[in-house]
Amino acid sequence: MKKETFQKKYPLFHPYFPKVDVRVNMAGNEELYRKYQAYNELIASFIKEIDCRFDNETIKNIIIEGIVKLPDEMMVSLITAYLNSSEVSKNNANFIAFYNKTSNLGIESVKYMETNGIITNRSYIDIPNKVVDAKYAELKTGEESFKGEKLVDIYETLIYPKRKLVVSLLESGIFDKFDEIFAELNYGLTAILDILFIYQIDARILSDKVYRVLGAQYVMLLVCLIVDNDAAIGAVEQVKKICVKGKFELLRQIILDNLLLPLSTVNYDDLADKETNEVIEILKKQELVLKMN
């Protein structure tokens, strides 16, 4: 009776689970049954693919690791990635291990797998780079430039951390403002990107929102203050926090009073609930302490 119950509840699974005790446990697993019913068509497609590639013992283990043990979202992601994989990857019995390794590289890498399939060799470590290039290809128009120098002409020469920065700037909608923001600086595009990269000035600071509120002059002044004062490099993370929280009047005042150095010695999270004038007073007092020392 228990064997018949299992076969009735899980017709897709029954050829691969001959042991009665395992069948009994699975037949009584209501969460698994819910998942099986909810994603029956997807699971059926999955079983069809692995059935023609692996022996029953391997399939049993794949079902346990890829369906039974996983929450819905991860199971759907894994199966989707597998179904979109190459024949080589589909034939690799260790595809779940490679899926897990790639998942550790971040959510963007997971999304890439779901669209492009699982990579079952060491080149899976290149997926974050593939994600960056794919995003760039999606965002670029080919006309992005700075002082006449086109981004598309230098993109391939950039290391991937800089390519990632470029993508974030394109996403933030600020890149087409570079000619206005950095008009007074005697640098080319590569040099500008080098500066932003070295000083960790990313899209949390250089965004269209910050530009619209502060204006090009203040944005350029902020970048120059960061670059001209190496001792204030620690302020960059605090500036990012201020921008994320939308405290632009505070940032404007910090720029006007050149308070980046004292800002680098505090944690803005501890000051976030204070008014602009209170934060400025704290920073000015901290500036005096720094000068005395």
Side-chain angles (χ1 to χ4, degrees):
M1 174 64 73
K2 294 295 183 181
K3 187 172 182 177
E4 292 175 359
T5 300
F6 176 85
Q7 184 170 340
K8 183 177 179 180
K9 294 185 78 170
Y10 304 109
L12 294 171
F13 294 167
H14 85 87
Y16 317 108
F17 292 88
K19 293 185 178 180
V20 174
D21 58 336
V22 176
R23 285 174 172 257
V24 170
N25 288 335
M26 292 178 70
N29 188 331
E30 293 303 319
E31 175 61 19
L32 175 61
Y33 185 55
R34 177 202 62 76
K35 184 162 48 175
Y36 181 90
Q37 288 184 306
Y39 301 99
N40 187 265
E41 290 186 11
L42 184 66
I43 291 172
S45 297
F46 184 50
I47 298 295
K48 181 180 179 181
E49 287 285 344
I50 61 177
D51 181 68
C52 64
R53 301 171 193 279
F54 309 115
D55 60 63
N56 282 11
E57 180 67 17
T58 301
I59 294 172
K60 181 195 74 173
N61 292 332
I62 290 172
I63 291 172
I64 291 172
E65 296 300 322
I67 297 177
V68 178
K69 290 185 177 181
L70 294 184
D72 292 27
E73 186 175 357
M74 288 184 65
M75 179 197 73
V76 171
S77 174
L78 169 66
I79 294 177
T80 301
Y82 180 81
L83 294 177
N84 287 329
S85 296
S86 68
E87 288 297 310
V88 171
S89 292
K90 285 182 178 179
N91 288 330
N92 191 316
N94 295 316
F95 69 87
I96 293 179
F98 280 98
Y99 173 89
N100 291 335
K101 290 177 182 178
T102 306
S103 296
N104 291 333
L105 299 177
I107 186 63
E108 293 296 335
S109 294
V110 173
K111 292 178 180 178
Y112 183 91
M113 275 194 296
E114 291 172 0
T115 301
N116 300 282
I118 303 167
I119 296 177
T120 53
N121 56 54
R122 282 195 56 79
S123 66
Y124 79 88
I125 62 176
D126 295 328
I127 287 181
N129 294 340
K130 294 177 183 292
V131 169
V132 171
D133 287 340
K135 278 192 173 183
Y136 174 70
E138 177 185 341
L139 293 168
K140 72 178 178 69
T141 65
E143 297 302 316
E144 294 86 3
S145 65
F146 175 66
K147 294 185 177 179
E149 186 178 4
K150 286 192 174 183
L151 176 60
V152 71
D153 291 335
I154 69 163
Y155 179 81
E156 295 292 336
T157 70
L158 302 175
I159 61 174
Y160 272 97
K162 289 182 185 176
R163 293 187 191 191
K164 188 174 181 179
L165 171 62
V166 165
V167 168
S168 72
L169 295 173
L170 291 176
E171 286 181 316
S172 75
I174 196 66
F175 195 91
D176 61 354
K177 312 295 192 309
F178 271 25
D179 275 323
E180 182 182 359
I181 294 172
F182 301 119
E184 297 179 24
L185 300 183
N186 190 27
Y187 294 115
L189 179 55
T190 300
I192 288 291
L193 293 176
D194 285 344
I195 290 169
L196 299 180
F197 178 72
I198 291 169
Y199 289 91
Q200 302 171 37
I201 303 170
D202 61 21
R204 282 169 288 182
I205 295 174
L206 284 177
S207 71
D208 184 61
K209 185 174 182 180
V210 175
Y211 165 83
R212 283 188 283 106
V213 176
L214 293 184
Q217 183 176 3
Y218 274 91
V219 174
M220 185 195 71
L221 184 55
L222 173 60
V223 172
C224 290
L225 288 174
I226 293 171
V227 172
D228 290 342
N229 189 353
D230 285 344
I233 186 64
V236 174
E237 287 305 313
Q238 307 310 318
V239 170
K240 291 174 185 176
K241 292 178 182 180
I242 293 171
C243 289
V244 168
K245 292 182 180 296
K247 302 290 186 176
F248 298 119
E249 187 52 43
L250 170 61
L251 183 57
R252 189 195 310 274
Q253 199 60 49
I254 288 171
I255 294 169
L256 281 172
D257 293 339
N258 193 7
L259 294 172
L260 286 185
L261 185 56
L263 181 65
S264 70
T265 68
V266 303
N267 184 346
Y268 179 69
D269 290 334
D270 298 331
L271 308 175
D273 60 342
K274 298 184 181 298
E275 297 295 329
T276 294
N277 62 327
E278 292 180 284
V279 177
I280 294 299
E281 282 302 311
I282 290 171
L283 294 179
K284 286 184 176 179
K285 288 179 181 178
Q286 186 64 18
E287 184 179 36
L288 288 175
V289 171
L290 293 172
K291 288 180 177 179
M292 290 174 62
N293 292 335

